[in-house]
Amino acid sequence: MLRRPKILAALAAVALPISVIGVSSGGPPAAAAAAPGPSAQAAASAFHAASQQYGVPESVLLAVSYAETRWDDHGGKPSTSGGYGLMHLTAVDAGEREERSGGAELAKADSLRTLDKASTLTGLDPVALRNDPAANIAGGAALLADYQRTLELPVGAGTSAADWYGAISSYAGASDQRTAADFADDVYATLARGAARTTNTGQQIAMPALKVTPAKSQLAKTGLRAAPAATGATECPAQLGCEWLPAPYSQYGPGAGDYGNHDLANRPKTGKIDYIVIHDTEGSWQGTLNLIQDPKYVSWQYTMRSSDGHVWQHVDAKDVAWHAGNWYVNMHAIGIEHEGFAAQGATWYTDVLYRNSARLVRYLAQKNDIPLDRAHIIGHDQVPGTVPANVAGMHWDPGPYWDWEHYFDLLGAPIYGHSIFPVKAGTIVTVKPGFAGNEQVVTGCNTDGTCAPQGTNFVYLRQAPDDAAPLVKDLGNRPNGADSTTQVSDIGARAAAGSQYVVAERSGDWVAIWYLGAKAWFKSPTSAPDAFAKPGLVVKPKAGLATVPVYGRAYPEKAAYPAGIPYQVVTPLQYTIGAGQAYPVGDADIETDYYRATTFAGVPPTDHVQVLGTDRYYQIWFGHRMAYVRAADVDLKLAH
């Protein structure tokens, strides 16, 4: 059941619904099939009322809220940075400041207690400001008006949106001008393209596109300090102002292998970079920074803070970090940790986190020639096990609540969402179920076994075309042959947004795909599809082969290894591809190689050496995770 916000009588009395037309291509138009009822327009009315009451242009109020929360209220629960409601009013205790800061300077104390200030300005109870959307919107409007007056600038709903740059910068709660300006620039970019969406509570809100030239000179009047220069040899877009906190490459014991926590390399010469792996920390910001500085722990290239999208870099992109749980993927990947907990989702995955992560990934992808698609910008949950015994223990972050569709919109590479030919047997389909309205049943997040309802990034796969049919089996996750479950960590029966599969069969509203060597069914009505047909390459077992093995890595053949470097056996996983089945190709041009790095400051020619093979592999979409097949075992064909 979707929650409906209560509306304060004082605001509702003057509330008028905003227009749901005139939205630019920057956001999807509001649904036109049926006019929204009053409850679906309550938040829109509250924005209008707050604009009139506090003298803030409605467009500014909407754009600030969208940049903070995308108009979601999270049911009165705080974000990791202590922000509540659509306007992200903050209430961070003094004792929390150090933990949230991660050793970095945060904004002054009052910027972390904006909920209290909003209460003083509006006379509204703090409890209402936390829990009532209309009160929260009013509080945000009062704050913006107060910032505007402090800067000695005009206030009034009729003022130009261009003249609110300074107030919007102040609203960011940043400690320096660059971070504040980043937030303000995002707000004005949202204004320029417009936006429309249905929120987590079923509210329909739209903001028509409005392109203005903001008065950026106001930033100097905010009193914020100049931005710190990027430290160390960081590899980041200048806009992010990344800081350098190196992971230790050091020896901690007498043995040549007693070292940590990454390996020196010279990528792409010692192995090209094919993947960017999206992780979440499963721990606090400061705790995560403590771990990356432990030579006995693992490593990753970047850590990103939830509250403001601040970035630390720890390992050079040319070096190999230990983050994916699969050495072949480590050899070819950059790992980015995002502060958060997969089972809590949106409480941690803030929009500024998504925006800055997308900025970093775009930069890294361009620099390293990595395609911006879901076969190369992957979740940790897509990384395969290397041998059958470790498949069940592979990670499942960033979890079911990471909004891949929004993330790829921010990357400028939207997930494929239209069909140019019918969805039928033999076609490749891309899964795109939506997010905010796609509340799949998930269990096991909380101590009572429940998970708070929120948008999810996947559709469930069943053993038959029936809502009551059991979920498909995953022998890697459950070797005893049990059915997959709805547990938050169980990815066995989930087709996530952006993933691709070959259609095996269609029956009415149901589509069967080839998945882990068998048919898996999900509902995708033609009137509201969750999967869209697209062209592409597929692999099929060569004629005469009853089954084809799949692998978790693409290591070279035995003959490729020089003397002194042991042969790394490539063991098939517990899955197979049967005759008549087909799977989409994620990448047909991967390196068959092994980077030998087992000792501290390795000694060539037997250590810190790339072994290249000639036995070709293809990366394929196979289950929830990706896999590899030998080119010699399959035929590469165009989907039909």
Side-chain angles (χ1 to χ4, degrees):
M1 180 72 69
L2 293 177
R3 298 179 297 276
R4 302 294 184 188
K6 297 177 290 183
I7 301 300
L8 294 183
L11 289 171
V14 294
L16 294 173
I18 66 170
S19 173
V20 191
I21 60 173
V23 181
S24 77
S25 59
S39 61
Q41 282 286 295
S45 299
F47 278 111
H48 181 84
S51 168
Q52 295 298 310
Q53 183 171 355
Y54 293 100
V56 182
E58 189 171 351
S59 58
V60 167
L61 199 55
L62 284 162
V64 167
S65 176
Y66 190 90
E68 288 281 20
T69 65
R70 296 178 70 223
W71 301 326
D72 286 340
D73 69 1
H74 304 311
K77 295 180 180 178
S79 72
T80 179
S81 50
Y84 290 86
L86 284 76
M87 298 302 298
H88 203 255
L89 302 180
T90 54
V92 178
D93 294 332
E96 296 178 277
R97 280 176 51 79
E98 181 61 28
E99 172 62 20
R100 296 192 188 281
S101 72
E105 182 180 354
L106 284 180
K108 56 188 179 181
D110 60 356
S111 71
L112 299 175
R113 302 285 304 176
T114 59
L115 190 140
D116 289 346
K117 185 174 182 180
S119 178
T120 299
L121 291 170
T122 62
L124 296 171
D125 187 271
V127 174
L129 289 166
R130 285 188 177 94
N131 298 299
D132 189 288
N136 188 270
I137 293 166
L143 282 169
L144 282 163
D146 186 67
Y147 295 142
Q148 188 79 342
R149 292 189 182 94
T150 299
L151 297 174
E152 299 180 344
L153 295 169
V155 173
T159 55
S160 170
D163 293 328
W164 286 76
Y165 191 89
I168 293 170
S169 298
S170 298
Y171 197 95
S175 61
D176 65 85
Q177 290 186 14
R178 177 166 52 202
T179 304
D182 284 349
F183 176 77
D185 290 343
D186 283 338
V187 169
Y188 280 92
T190 300
L191 269 175
R193 66 177 179 264
R197 69 186 298 261
T198 301
T199 73
N200 66 313
T201 57
Q203 298 292 299
Q204 294 181 11
I205 305 177
M207 180 182 67
L210 176 65
K211 191 169 185 177
V212 296
T213 301
K216 293 191 176 185
S217 61
Q218 295 175 0
L219 182 65
K221 301 174 64 175
T222 61
L224 296 170
R225 65 181 176 87
T231 59
T234 56
E235 301 162 283
C236 285
Q239 184 180 13
L240 291 186
C242 298
E243 295 188 65
W244 178 250
L245 181 67
Y249 183 70
S250 60
Q251 195 160 10
Y252 56 77
D258 297 336
Y259 72 96
N261 57 12
H262 59 283
D263 282 296
L264 302 183
N266 190 24
R267 300 189 298 180
K269 291 182 180 179
T270 55
K272 64 179 183 175
I273 302 173
D274 291 321
Y275 310 111
I276 297 175
V277 182
I278 304 301
H279 303 259
D280 76 66
T281 60
E282 294 299 313
S284 70
W285 172 254
Q286 185 59 60
T288 300
L289 295 187
N290 291 343
L291 288 173
I292 194 65
Q293 297 174 80
D294 182 353
K296 294 184 180 180
Y297 198 64
V298 296
S299 59
W300 50 93
Q301 269 81 10
Y302 299 88
T303 305
M304 183 163 290
R305 187 161 58 200
S306 171
S307 60
D308 58 3
H310 185 70
V311 183
W312 290 93
Q313 184 176 356
H314 314 293
V315 177
D316 288 335
K318 67 181 178 63
D319 295 331
V320 179
W322 305 345
H323 60 99
N326 179 316
W327 182 245
Y328 181 80
V329 175
N330 282 345
M331 287 160 42
H332 295 285
I334 291 171
I336 304 176
E337 289 280 358
H338 298 76
E339 184 188 16
F341 293 84
Q344 296 178 18
T347 301
W348 293 83
Y349 300 155
T350 61
D351 210 58
V352 68
L353 182 80
Y354 281 124
R355 291 196 304 271
N356 282 1
S357 179
R359 289 186 175 109
L360 177 60
V361 168
R362 279 199 311 271
Y363 168 86
L364 293 171
Q366 183 176 24
K367 184 176 181 180
N368 297 284
D369 196 26
I370 302 171
L372 288 175
D373 61 37
R374 286 282 281 115
H376 297 88
I377 312 302
I378 64 175
H380 198 183
D381 56 344
Q382 290 172 256
V383 175
T386 54
V387 296
N390 68 14
V391 170
M394 295 301 290
H395 287 238
W396 56 278
D397 58 303
Y401 305 126
W402 180 269
D403 190 348
W404 286 111
E405 295 179 41
H406 178 49
Y407 192 58
F408 270 80
D409 286 344
L410 292 170
L411 286 172
I415 291 173
Y416 192 88
H418 63 279
S419 295
I420 59 175
F421 42 80
V423 173
K424 59 183 179 64
T427 60
I428 296 174
V429 290
T430 300
V431 175
K432 188 175 184 180
F435 185 79
N438 182 43
E439 292 188 2
Q440 300 287 350
V441 174
V442 183
T443 55
C445 299
N446 305 313
T447 55
D448 63 358
T450 64
C451 293
Q454 58 179 295
T456 56
N457 60 22
F458 68 94
V459 294
Y460 277 120
L461 301 170
R462 302 190 177 274
Q463 296 177 29
D466 188 325
D467 287 320
L471 298 176
V472 297
K473 301 176 187 294
D474 181 343
L475 292 178
N477 285 344
R478 297 177 180 274
N480 62 359
D483 300 333
S484 296
T485 70
T486 60
Q487 279 286 314
V488 65
S489 60
D490 190 345
I491 64 170
R494 292 178 187 165
S499 55
Q500 297 178 16
Y501 304 97
V502 175
V503 176
E505 184 182 349
R506 176 135 206 179
S507 178
D509 287 342
W510 289 83
V511 175
I513 55 174
W514 294 116
Y515 183 90
L516 298 177
K519 289 182 181 180
W521 293 86
F522 66 97
K523 188 177 286 185
S524 183
T526 54
S527 59
D530 286 329
F532 302 87
K534 68 184 300 290
L537 294 171
V538 301
V539 295
K540 298 181 177 182
K542 284 191 177 294
L545 295 179
T547 61
V548 166
V550 299
Y551 303 90
R553 50 191 172 184
Y555 279 175
E557 66 281 4
K558 188 173 184 178
Y561 289 81
I565 300 182
Y567 168 51
Q568 305 295 307
V569 178
V570 186
T571 306
L573 300 180
Q574 51 268 78
Y575 314 103
T576 59
I577 297 174
Q581 298 180 17
Y583 292 85
V585 175
D587 195 332
D589 185 29
I590 64 171
E591 284 184 323
T592 302
D593 65 341
Y594 167 63
Y595 183 63
R596 170 76 169 177
T598 62
T599 62
F600 183 66
V603 181
T606 60
D607 206 44
H608 289 199
V609 173
Q610 182 191 29
V611 179
L612 280 166
T614 58
D615 190 10
R616 293 187 63 204
Y617 287 80
Y618 302 128
Q619 175 197 339
I620 63 169
W621 291 96
F622 185 63
H624 186 92
R625 303 188 191 275
M626 63 188 189
Y628 302 95
V629 292
R630 294 179 64 243
D633 292 337
V634 296
D635 288 324
L636 191 65
K637 297 179 176 292
L638 281 171
H640 64 275

